[in-house]
Amino acid sequence: MPACLRVCRELLDRDIIVDYRPKAGVRVSPHFYNREDECDFTLAQMDEILKTGAWEKHVAAVTHA
């Protein structure tokens, strides 16, 4: 996925708990207490973030972090 760190930051801004893993990407870790619709929502949010470029607002934050 392009811009993984920025996508991760946008997901966190949307209260979706994920983790960025260098050289691996965005880590999503569903467990037995997550419902299927929550997992689907996370994937839909990732798709929307990429399609709309919502991750781009994090460019400055990442380069200055």
Side-chain angles (χ1 to χ4, degrees):
M1 174 188 326
C4 290
L5 179 56
R6 296 173 188 109
V7 171
C8 182
R9 288 183 183 231
E10 180 63 22
L11 288 166
L12 292 169
D13 281 356
R14 297 176 184 207
D15 295 323
I16 299 171
I17 306 303
V18 294
D19 188 31
Y20 170 71
R21 299 293 172 102
K23 299 181 183 180
V26 178
R27 180 174 186 258
V28 178
S29 184
H31 207 302
F32 69 92
Y33 51 78
N34 292 103
R35 297 183 319 262
E36 186 174 344
D37 64 310
E38 293 173 316
C39 296
D40 292 343
F41 178 75
T42 298
L43 295 175
Q45 289 295 297
M46 293 172 94
D47 187 51
E48 188 269 332
I49 289 166
L50 290 169
K51 285 182 178 175
T52 64
W55 59 270
E56 293 174 353
K57 68 182 178 185
H58 300 281
V59 171
V62 171
T63 57
H64 293 95

